[in-house]
Amino acid sequence: MLALAIFVVTLTLVIWQPRGLGIGTSALAGAAVALAAGVVNLADVAVVWDIVWDATFTFVALIIISLILDEAGFFAWAALHVARWGGGSGRRLFPLVIVLGAVIAAFFANDGAALLLTPIVMAILLRLQFSPAAALAFIIATGFVADTTSLPLIISNLVNIVTANFFEVSFNRYALVMVPVNVISLAATLLVLWLMFRRDLPERYDLERLEAPAQAVRDPLVFRSAFPLLAVLLVAFFVTAPLGIPVAVVTGLAALVLASIAGRWWRGGGSTVISMRRVVRDAPWQIVLFSVGMYLVVYGLGNAWLTADASAVLTWLGQQGQLVATLGTGTLAALLASVMNNMPSTLVGALAIDQAQVSEATRELMIYANVIGNDLGPKFTPIGSLATLLWLHVLASKGTRISWGQYMKVGLVLTPPVLFSALIGLWWWLPLTQG
């Protein structure tokens, strides 16, 4: 009960953030209390750090890359191109924005998609003078797709990185399994969003209201460097995977290269368009503290009773056949993520799967089902993922507030069919990759 009480209080502070208290500060305080109370010990700290360090620093590096590219106008340029590809048709623009969100989530993580795409889309909607109902449809779509299409690569979500490291899944193997599953999730996302919002979409919009995409580019050198850098980065992930090089090392080197270009370090850091000081300041350093602190709190909860109980449930599911095991694991992970937040629930699921008495084939299905549940399940509630909390914060800063009731009314309708489709896709596809 002590471990549970510490977790509940810590999670409440993380969500509430009283007087601007950082999420990392709250999580670290909870970890300190758990350590002082004997719920966890110093050896557990080393175990947790070994689990989360790669994911944490990969995420920080990706966000730094994203912030630099955003400052250079890269994402605004892409969004303006998409708006023009819409050809003045609101019903054509809607799926294009969703696909753009999926691409950004794949390469810059779900948090990057929520942080970067949302304000750009809102600015375009304002310029196009969309109705409030139409604007809400696009806003919901950008927030929803950030998580539902964060499956394809290890770097697409912190959940993916933690899971891959915990179970020693290579970048190549993960992509082989999850890229097709992500395509299924994207198709389901497009379908459910279209069915819900199709009547609110405008028939036409005026292309003349949009600036030329080239006008959005603020730093041409960084902009031109982005395309080869991202291509090399993607290839490097696959090349270095068999060598056992951590994803954080590859991503960190890419961030340093882009930072050197943006800061013009080779010429003494003279006058530049992009302020690297601001980029570094705005990087999510609180995530580093959150990753260690919150995982440590959850690790203590797992030591107390949660891991053993969850493992027993998964063992039973594994005895019911692979379809039930896949759907059951994914659904349980989704529900746990929606009330606990997907970061701690990922660790709970991983520890439980590790202890479950199931066959190797079923175990692998459960590993990926846990990822799907923790990537998609957070869309049930506003507290499910950091990306959703970040998205709501960005909206509030732009004067748009979405209540918990409004959010859950949409999330409870949209999430189940996408989650079910992705899990069924996994159950069908994974055995085909094992030959």
Side-chain angles (χ1 to χ4, degrees), residues 305-323:
W305 55 270
L306 187 56
T307 299
D309 287 0
S311 177
V313 172
L314 293 181
T315 298
W316 181 84
L317 286 172
Q319 295 169 351
Q320 313 309 309
Q322 292 190 342
L323 177 59

Side-chain angles (χ1 to χ4, degrees), residues 331-413:
T331 302
L332 286 175
L335 294 175
L336 194 61
S338 67
V339 297
M340 179 184 277
N341 186 274
N342 66 341
M343 294 306 296
S345 70
T346 298
L347 182 59
V348 171
L351 292 170
I353 292 169
D354 194 45
Q355 295 182 18
Q357 303 300 309
V358 296
S359 68
E360 282 302 313
T362 300
R363 182 173 178 268
E364 189 175 18
L365 276 168
M366 285 182 165
I367 289 171
Y368 290 108
N370 187 51
V371 170
I372 293 171
N374 281 294
D375 279 359
L376 274 61
K379 305 316 291 181
F380 280 121
T381 67
I383 66 170
S385 74
L386 293 176
T388 302
L389 293 171
L390 183 61
W391 174 71
L392 291 171
H393 174 73
V394 170
L395 292 179
S397 69
K398 300 294 181 180
T400 300
R401 295 191 178 275
I402 296 179
S403 68
W404 280 40
Q406 286 177 302
Y407 181 92
M408 293 184 67
K409 182 180 179 181
V410 174
L412 291 173
V413 172

Side-chain angles (χ1 to χ4, degrees), residues 30 44 120 139 403 411:
D44 293 331
I120 293 171
I139 289 169
S403 68

Side-chain angles (χ1 to χ4, degrees), residues 22-44:
I23 60 172
T25 305
S26 298
L28 208 58
V33 173
L35 194 61
V39 173
V40 292
N41 56 48
L42 290 176
D44 293 331

Side-chain angles (χ1 to χ4, degrees), residues 71-213:
E71 290 282 330
F74 181 84
F75 297 108
W77 170 86
L80 285 168
H81 267 296
V82 166
R84 290 188 175 276
W85 292 342
S89 168
R91 295 192 170 187
R92 186 186 305 167
L93 178 62
F94 188 66
L96 286 174
V97 167
I98 293 173
V99 172
L100 175 62
V103 172
I104 294 176
F107 294 101
F108 300 98
N110 57 330
D111 300 271
L115 176 67
L116 302 170
L117 184 60
T118 302
I120 293 171
V121 168
M122 290 181 71
I124 290 176
L125 296 177
L126 183 63
R127 185 166 298 179
L128 293 176
Q129 297 183 345
F130 278 12
S131 68
L136 181 63
F138 279 88
I139 289 169
I140 291 292
T142 56
F144 195 79
V145 75
D147 281 321
T148 62
T149 58
S150 64
L151 297 169
L153 304 175
I154 285 177
I155 61 170
S156 303
N157 198 311
L158 274 173
V159 165
N160 309 354
I161 305 174
V162 169
T163 303
N165 285 347
F166 189 92
F167 292 105
E168 299 182 347
V169 180
S170 72
F171 193 96
N172 301 7
R173 174 62 181 170
Y174 182 93
L176 175 65
V177 173
M178 294 300 264
V179 167
V181 175
N182 193 69
V183 172
I184 294 171
S185 184
L186 173 58
T189 299
L190 282 165
L191 179 60
V192 295
L193 286 171
W194 177 263
L195 291 175
M196 176 164 277
F197 294 114
R198 67 188 185 282
R199 294 185 180 88
D200 298 323
L201 303 177
E203 290 288 341
R204 306 294 303 172
Y205 60 88
D206 186 3
L207 286 172
E208 297 300 319
R209 294 182 179 274
L210 297 172
E211 62 181 304

Side-chain angles (χ1 to χ4, degrees), residues 264-287:
R264 310 296 197 267
W265 294 348
W266 69 88
R267 66 182 193 193
S271 177
T272 60
V273 174
I274 299 172
S275 169
M276 285 307 303
R277 180 177 296 180
R278 183 172 63 249
V279 168
V280 172
R281 182 195 65 205
D282 292 343
W285 300 111
Q286 283 282 323
I287 295 294

